[in-house]
Every structure is written in C-alpha cells, then in structure tokens.
C-alpha cells in the first residue's frame, strides 16, 4: 500500500494543512504508519499521542492511532491538551516518541501534526522522509496495543514547580484553545487573584483568533486588565506553545521583551549563560542580555532549530519574537507557554518591580510589525541571496544567520524567507520615526532591484 501527501502539507517544522483539502484522515493514517516505522527502526516500541481542541482532531487522532498500531507500535493516548502537555508526556513517560494533533494558531479549518522522537524535535528532512516512505509504501507491519493515561494533573504539578513566590492579580486568556483546562487547574493552585477568559475549549474560536502575537487578538484581555485594574495579563495561542503578555496599562509586552524579563533571574543564577533569540528580536534584547552579564546569541527563526541550538550550546533559555519561549533551566528545553507564564510571575517577583514599571523601563524603540508579502515559492530564497550579494558589494554590515539582517547607524532591518509559507518577512527597528523611514527605504530599494514591491501587510 502506498500514499501520497499534498506536498504543501509537509512543512519544515510539522505537517499541516486544510482539513478536507490538503489534509485528510488518510494522511493521518499514513503519518502513523511512517512514524511508527521510524520508531521501530530506531529500536523503539511506544508512542504518546495528544490532540488539541479542534473539531477535526478526534477523527484525525483515531486515524493516526490506527496507522501507528498497524505498523506495530504501542500507543499511549494523553487526550486533549496543549502541545507542551504532549511534550511533557514524551519526556516523562516511558515512550520513544510523541505526536500532537494540532493546527497550532491557524484558523479553525486547519489541522496538523507536531512530532518529537527520542526527546528531540522531528523536523525538516525527517518530515520529507515520511513523505517518501509513504510514496513507496515502505512501512513496517505489526499489531500494537493502545492505552490511555490521564497526565494533566502531573503536568500542572510540574508547571507549579516553576513558581517561586509573589501573589499578583492576573488576567489569563486561553482563546478557547487547548490550554484552557490546564489554565483553570493551574490558577486554582497559584496564589494571588486570577481572572480567566475563554478557557472553554471550542475549535471554532468564537471570541477571537488564538494568536497572541497579533495585537487585535489581545483586545478582550486589555479590557479585562483595565476593568479589574489587574497587575498584568497573559494570553496563549491555540495549542499553548506561544505566549503573549500585556502590562497593567494594557501595553503589549512582545516576545523579545518577555524574554528580556525572563532572562534576568536566570542570569543571576547562571552568570555568563548563553541566551538565544531569533533574528527578528530587537537589538534592545541582545544589549540587555549582555548588560545582565549573559552571552546573547542570535539564531534562526523556528522552534525546532532553536531547540537544537540550545542543546548544542547548553543554553538555559531561548525565545522567539513569535512568543515561543524555551526553558532548559529547571525544565526540559521545549517551548511551553504555560510554564513561561509561571516563570514570568516568578521573574516579576524576583526583579521586585511591577510589570508596568519593568515595561516602562525598556528602551523606547520604533519598529514595524512583522511585514509579510507573498512571493513565488521558487523565488523566495533567490531574492534573499540577490539582496545579500548586493549588500556585500556595497560593504554593508550584514548578519547572514537567517536571511539578511542589516545594521546601520539608524538601527537594523531584516529580510528573510519564511520556512513555512510562500512569503518574505521583513522587519525594521530604529531609534526614531525618521530613522525607521530610512530603513524602510533601504528595504524597498533592495526589493525593487529584485523586481518586488513591499505589498499589503499582515500581522505583527
């Protein structure tokens, strides 16, 4: 038996598509067959499976499990919960890998699969191999067994272990995503006063889209914090692996700013430690880490790439502009927004100022949201190469870690190709509006020379 995936669904970090169009239960079954085959050939026998709250997730789970069993691995179902709960299960239970069925922060009609094998991210070439194995029908045969484990209380207990003092008045917005039930259990056990929004899991996301990196999705949380005069608020994406935050005045604390707060107590405990952030992060973050006595490291965007770099460098903490925060300090090194929230409370307590004071002390930078514009898949990496070649010729100061990040006396600008979509991503940051205008003019000039125009923008 062979199977062909829609090529657009086999992405860099996961498998994802629109249910009924580019992703089906047949795909789920084939993923099960392929992943089980990889596990068995690596000497493993058991796989943990979890799912998010999307309406299509139960059917996808049933087909995935069927595929895993048919290729001879035993399945441990951990039920509905955030992706980090599945990562926790994979780290703590005696299993050889894990799969979370989730559409992450995508709209309701999407779903997908995030995989981890022997405590390491399963991505890139691993995912392409699953596609090739399916096309050839290169699958092991067998008959595994299935069991269920209720892990949520153990997981919440592990989250609480990250807490260390401080009772605050906090707003929590789960966005009707998979993190809701965990947030309910967690906040009952935390001291302080907690006000919860949208913790009932609803795959149609009736209140707002569960992506806390877009400011419009934080409107309900801002209202709650203002009405109740809370200390700060936190929000989660659809599968609980990305965090957003606002201070007591409703100002957004972006991903790199959250990381700069979290870094302070970690660097007190581990002076000189390497703190990793992606190329989209503010220069203010890298400067702050250095000032706190840490070693800032700029790395490529993408949760799998960052986890791999953390292992390589022994980094205790990393983060992305998109709100993925990774703690290896007293934790497992994976991205867990619930754990990040607990550590954020702890960091505010250890710093000894209010969240609003901490946010006010941050340098005022003028920056663009993340600008994304469509470009043909066949051109996206080529354009970045053309830009890099021209910049080198001009003698510009360029960091090539992930695309082109150009530093000038005004600030910096970035142009990189998305690993997951047919888009180029640009961002710029300056000390003032005039400087920002000059940086944007540089981006536009480079794009024009490659025959592109910075088009309609979407999102931060």
């Amino acid at each position: 038996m062979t199977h062909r995936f829609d090529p657009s669904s086999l992405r860099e970090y996961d498998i994802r598509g629109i249910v009924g169009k580019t992703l089906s239960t047949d795909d789920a079954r084939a993923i099960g067959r392929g992943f089980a085959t990889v596990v068995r050939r690596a000497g493993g026998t058991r796989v943990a499976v979890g799912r998010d709250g999307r309406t299509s997730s139960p059917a996808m789970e049933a087909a995935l499990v069927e595929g895993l069993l048919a290729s001879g691995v035993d399945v441990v179902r951990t039920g509905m919960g955030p992706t980090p709960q599945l990562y926790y299960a994979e780290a703590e239970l005696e299993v050889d890998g894990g799969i979370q069925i989730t559409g992450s922060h995508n709209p309701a009609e999407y779903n997908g699969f995030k995989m981890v094998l022997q405590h390491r991210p399963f991505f890139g070439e691993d995912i392409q191999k699953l596609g090739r194995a399916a096309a050839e029908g290169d699958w092991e045969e067998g008959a595994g067994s299935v069991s269920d484990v209720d892990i949520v209380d153990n997981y919440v207990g592990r989250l609480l272990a990250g807490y260390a003092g401080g009772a605050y008045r906090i707003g929590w917005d789960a966005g009707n995503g998979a993190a809701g039930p965990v947030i309910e259990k967690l906040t009952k056990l935390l001291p302080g006063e907690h006000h919860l929004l949208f913790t009932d899991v609803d795959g149609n996301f009736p209140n707002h889209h569960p992506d806390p990196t877009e400011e419009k999705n934080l409107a309900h949380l801002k209202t709650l914090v203002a009405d109740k005069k809370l200390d700060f608020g936190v929000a989660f994406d659809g599968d609980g692996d990305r965090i957003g935050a606002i201070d007591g005045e409703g100002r957004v604390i972006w991903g790199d700013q959250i990381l700069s707060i979290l870094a302070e107590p970690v660097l007190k405990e581990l002076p000189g430690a390497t703190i990793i952030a992606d190329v989209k992060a503010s220069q203010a973050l890298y400067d702050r880490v250095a000032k706190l006595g840490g070693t800032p490291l700029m790395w490529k965007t993408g949760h799998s790439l960052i986890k791999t770099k953390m292992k390589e460098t022994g980094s205790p903490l990393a983060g992305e502009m998109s709100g993925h925060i990774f703690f290896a300090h007293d934790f497992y090194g994976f991205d867990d927004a619930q754990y990040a929230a607990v550590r954020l409370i702890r960091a505010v307590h250890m710093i000894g100022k209010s969240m609003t004071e901490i946010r006010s002390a941050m340098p005022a930078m003028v920056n663009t949201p993340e600008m994304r514009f469509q470009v043909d898949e066949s051109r996206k990496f080529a354009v970045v190469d053309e830009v890099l070649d021209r910049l080198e010729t001009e003698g510009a100061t360029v960091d090539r870690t992930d695309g082109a990040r150009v530093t000038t006396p005004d600030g910096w600008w970035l142009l990189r190709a998305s690993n997951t979509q047919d888009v180029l991503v640009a961002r710029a940051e300056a000390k003032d509006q005039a400087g920002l205008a000059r940086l944007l003019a540089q981006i536009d000039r480079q794009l024009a020379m490659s025959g592109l125009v910075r088009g309609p923008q979407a999102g931060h």
Side-chain angles (χ1 to χ4, degrees):
M1 207 175 105
T2 62
H3 178 81
R4 290 203 182 278
F5 292 98
D6 186 299
S8 70
S9 68
L10 302 176
R11 297 159 29 135
E12 181 65 18
Y13 313 122
D14 54 23
I15 296 174
R16 208 180 299 177
I18 297 171
V19 177
K21 285 187 179 161
T22 56
L23 195 69
S24 68
T25 49
D26 288 342
D27 293 322
R29 202 170 290 107
I31 292 163
R33 297 292 309 252
F35 191 78
T37 298
V38 172
V39 168
R40 283 187 61 188
R41 289 176 186 169
T45 58
R46 297 178 85 209
V47 173
V49 171
R51 63 180 157 83
D52 71 7
R54 287 166 189 264
T55 53
S56 59
S57 291
M60 288 289 179
E61 179 187 50
L64 174 73
V65 169
E66 208 177 288
L68 289 163
L69 299 175
S71 283
V73 298
D74 295 333
V75 174
V76 182
R77 284 188 301 220
T78 59
M80 201 279 298
T83 295
Q85 181 178 293
L86 184 273
Y87 292 160
Y88 167 77
E90 196 272 338
E92 286 290 336
L93 300 175
E94 291 193 3
V95 294
D96 307 290
I99 303 180
Q100 172 81 356
I101 295 151
T102 176
S104 190
H105 59 281
N106 282 92
E109 64 273 17
Y110 282 78
N111 216 327
F113 303 82
K114 289 183 180 174
M115 293 161 279
V116 53
L117 180 69
Q118 293 169 337
H119 315 318
R120 291 182 183 276
F122 187 89
F123 71 106
E125 183 53 27
D126 301 325
I127 288 172
Q128 297 307 318
K129 278 183 188 157
L130 283 188
R132 291 196 290 273
E136 291 159 18
D138 178 16
W139 293 329
E140 296 286 329
E141 298 293 332
S145 66
V146 65
S147 58
D148 292 284
V149 59
D150 187 355
I151 203 163
V152 66
D153 289 336
N154 288 5
Y155 172 58
V156 170
R158 184 63 189 82
L159 295 175
L160 272 171
Y163 175 75
Y168 297 92
R169 302 176 65 246
I170 305 171
W172 303 69
D173 183 350
N176 300 111
V182 167
I183 300 296
E184 286 177 1
K185 283 177 181 271
L186 176 64
T187 51
K188 280 197 180 87
L189 299 168
L190 282 172
E193 188 185 311
H194 302 282
H195 298 266
L196 276 47
L197 289 174
F198 316 134
T199 53
D200 53 314
V201 180
D202 185 335
N204 297 310
F205 308 120
N207 294 291
H208 64 76
H209 187 59
D211 179 356
T213 60
E214 285 206 35
E215 190 159 358
K216 64 177 191 227
N217 297 325
L218 299 171
H220 293 94
L221 185 60
K222 287 183 182 187
T223 303
L224 175 71
V225 167
D227 288 353
K228 306 260 187 216
K229 300 187 170 49
L230 303 181
D231 296 319
F232 57 95
V234 286
F236 305 88
D237 76 335
D239 69 329
D241 61 4
R242 299 191 310 142
I243 187 173
I246 59 170
D247 73 355
E249 291 176 7
R251 290 175 295 185
V252 177
I253 304 166
W254 297 110
D256 50 3
Q257 295 173 322
I258 292 172
L259 187 61
S260 79
I261 297 169
L262 293 169
E264 194 161 329
V266 170
L267 288 169
K268 270 209 179 84
E269 213 172 304
L270 304 170
T274 299
I275 307 290
I276 302 174
D278 71 335
V279 292
K280 292 186 279 194
S282 170
Q283 189 56 43
L285 166 73
Y286 296 107
D287 295 347
R288 179 74 181 145
V289 168
K291 195 177 169 193
L292 292 167
T295 308
L297 176 65
M298 189 187 294
W299 196 237
K300 296 173 181 174
T301 293
H303 65 92
S304 305
L305 302 170
I306 292 211
K307 283 175 212 175
T308 306
K309 194 68 176 173
M310 284 178 85
K311 282 211 164 95
E312 199 183 290
T313 57
S315 164
L317 174 66
E320 288 188 272
M321 203 58 214
S322 59
H324 286 278
I325 304 282
F326 312 81
F327 269 99
H329 179 248
D330 296 340
F331 205 60
Y332 306 91
F334 56 71
D335 38 339
D336 185 330
Q338 291 69 226
Y339 187 72
V342 173
R343 291 292 294 255
L344 191 59
I345 299 169
R346 171 169 156 184
V348 171
H349 175 65
M350 312 257 299
I351 291 167
K353 295 178 180 152
S354 74
M355 182 69 94
T356 304
E357 286 171 324
I358 294 169
R359 175 70 179 74
S360 296
M362 289 179 182
M365 305 295 239
V366 187
N367 48 36
T368 65
E370 196 172 287
M371 301 174 287
R372 306 167 80 84
F373 35 99
Q374 269 189 298
V375 55
D376 195 78
E377 193 72 42
S378 60
R379 277 285 285 150
K380 71 178 185 186
F381 290 107
V383 169
V384 174
D385 288 338
E386 290 162 18
V387 170
L388 281 166
D389 290 344
R390 285 194 296 266
L391 291 166
E392 301 260 292
T393 313
E394 291 167 16
T397 310
V398 187
D399 184 299
R400 291 172 161 261
T401 302
D402 184 5
R405 180 162 163 150
V406 183
T407 303
T408 82
D410 284 316
W412 61 271
W413 60 268
L414 170 77
L415 185 72
R416 62 179 286 274
S418 165
N419 285 314
T420 54
Q421 289 165 300
D422 53 348
V423 294
L424 285 174
V425 178
R427 193 165 184 249
E429 177 180 78
K431 296 175 186 74
D432 56 39
Q433 245 6 100
L436 191 67
R438 287 191 287 272
L439 294 174
L440 287 171
Q442 288 188 30
I443 297 176
D444 289 340
R445 185 173 76 92
Q446 289 296 338
L447 288 173
M449 287 162 85
S450 286
L452 293 173
V453 178
R454 184 160 50 94
Q457 269 127 61
H460 187 98

